[in-house]
Amino acid sequence: MRIGQAARASGTSARALRNYEDEGLITPGRQPNGYRDYCPTTLDTVVRIRSLLAAGLSMRLVREVLPFMDETSASPDPPCAEFLDEVARYRDRLAARIGELTAQRSALDAYLRQSGGNR
C-alpha cells in the first residue's frame, strides 16, 4: 500500500512514516515507479513505534528496544548493562506515572459517585 494509505491505516502521518524510515526503524518496499510500498508487517512495526513513542521513549530508546519486540526477527545482540539500566529507570518512571494516574482516576471516580454523576 502507498504512503497515504499506510498513514491512514496506522493512524500516523506520511511525514512520520518518512521519519521512521530515515531513522532506520522501518524499511518499506519500493514499487517499480519508486513509490514506497508498505506491507502489513511494516504497519505492525509502525504501531509498535507509535506506542513506544506515546509512552515517552526517546527515538534512541525506540531504536534499541524495537528489535526485541519483533517475534519474527532473529535475536539481536543483547544490549549493554548501561542501556538496560536506562530502560529500567524509564520503566520505573512510567510505573510511578501510572500510579499517579490511577490515583487521579480513583479520585475522579469517587467525586462522580458522590455527585451522583456515575458515568
Side-chain angles (χ1 to χ4, degrees), residues 41 45 48 64-77:
T41 303
T45 302
R48 282 193 296 277
E64 295 289 332
V65 170
L66 194 61
F68 291 92
M69 297 181 73
D70 185 2
E71 302 84 25
T72 62
S73 66
S75 295
D77 293 334

Side-chain angles (χ1 to χ4, degrees), residues 23-68:
E23 292 286 338
L25 300 175
I26 60 172
T27 307
R30 294 285 178 166
Q31 296 177 349
N33 60 4
Y35 289 171
R36 290 170 179 85
D37 189 17
Y38 294 86
C39 67
T41 303
T42 302
L43 294 183
D44 291 342
T45 302
V46 169
V47 170
R48 282 193 296 277
I49 292 166
R50 288 179 44 82
S51 175
L52 292 168
L53 291 171
L57 267 71
S58 67
M59 190 65 79
R60 184 181 69 79
L61 286 177
V62 170
R63 188 178 303 106
E64 295 289 332
V65 170
L66 194 61
F68 291 92

